[in-house]
Amino acid sequence: FTNIWAKFARPLDDIQVVLDGFGDQQPSGTPDLPVGAVANSFFSINLGGVASQDVVAAAAIAFVDKSWLDSNQIHKWSIQFSRFDENLDAWVPSPSKRIREDAERLTFAVVVPGFSTFAITGSRDLPDLPFSIDNLSIGPASPKDGEQIDVVASVSNSGAETAVYPAVLWVDGAIEAAKTVSVDA
């Protein structure tokens, strides 16, 4: 990781970022990774002096060494950053965008809907994307300053099991809010 940002619901002082790495050893008490996923690393990110309800949205810049991709025959478009959601007892992929590639690394901007244990994984094949988004509406069409705006969409899961969709609201190129939504098959 090179940067971590967070947006808070209220002004806070004395915030501490604690990053602990576990290497490629999966932390005890976490479920198995999805079939075909190869672990690059596991780590935890926690904030001291911050309650979970204070975090509106967060993001990080992270990288993966290409030597790991090559030695494990990992497809470069299969990289996922997943957060362990204790309430769901599941690894939930976080939205990410590849922002840079050089001879040694792939660098990503990753939306972090909360702080906890994370896994960076990849696979030999591209992962299935079970979600489709339809019926996006934003209203009112011409809001006045200070007026509430509603953003609504239908999220469908074409997979065989309930899955978690990471919903992120971007406004003017910045993350305004993020949350995870459980979507039945």
Side-chain angles (χ1 to χ4, degrees):
F1 283 88
T2 59
N3 298 80
I4 298 173
W5 296 275
K7 179 179 180 178
F8 301 107
R10 62 186 178 93
L12 298 170
D13 294 322
D14 299 321
I15 298 170
Q16 301 162 355
V17 177
V18 179
L19 178 67
D20 290 319
F22 306 114
D24 62 358
Q25 298 300 310
Q26 185 166 343
S28 63
T30 60
D32 291 339
L33 293 170
V35 174
V38 177
N40 171 279
S41 57
F42 295 92
F43 52 92
S44 69
I45 303 174
N46 291 294
L47 298 180
V50 178
S52 62
Q53 64 269 20
D54 288 330
V55 179
V56 175
I61 303 295
F63 64 86
V64 174
D65 288 325
K66 285 185 169 179
S67 61
W68 175 76
L69 299 172
D70 294 340
S71 65
N72 291 283
Q73 300 176 337
I74 301 297
H75 193 293
K76 72 179 184 178
W77 293 103
S78 73
I79 304 302
Q80 287 191 325
F81 298 82
S82 298
R83 176 180 173 262
F84 174 58
D85 187 312
E86 292 177 2
N87 295 327
L88 300 171
D89 193 34
W91 292 103
V92 178
S94 294
S96 64
K97 179 179 181 181
R98 191 165 64 174
I99 59 172
R100 188 171 33 257
E101 179 176 354
D102 60 30
E104 297 174 1
R105 295 179 173 165
L106 296 174
T107 303
F108 299 84
V110 182
V111 175
V112 183
F115 294 97
S116 69
T117 301
F118 289 84
I120 300 175
T121 61
S123 60
R124 292 191 170 108
D125 299 314
L126 291 174
D128 291 330
L129 301 176
F131 297 109
S132 62
I133 313 320
D134 297 303
N135 305 319
L136 175 65
S137 67
I138 302 171
S142 299
K144 294 180 175 43
D145 190 24
E147 185 176 6
Q148 177 175 318
I149 299 171
D150 294 317
V151 179
V152 179
S154 297
V155 178
S156 301
N157 173 3
S158 62
E161 299 178 359
T162 297
V164 178
Y165 179 75
V168 180
L169 175 64
W170 292 81
V171 177
D172 293 332
I175 299 167
E176 185 66 26
K179 71 184 258 185
T180 55
V181 181
S182 183
V183 182
D184 290 333

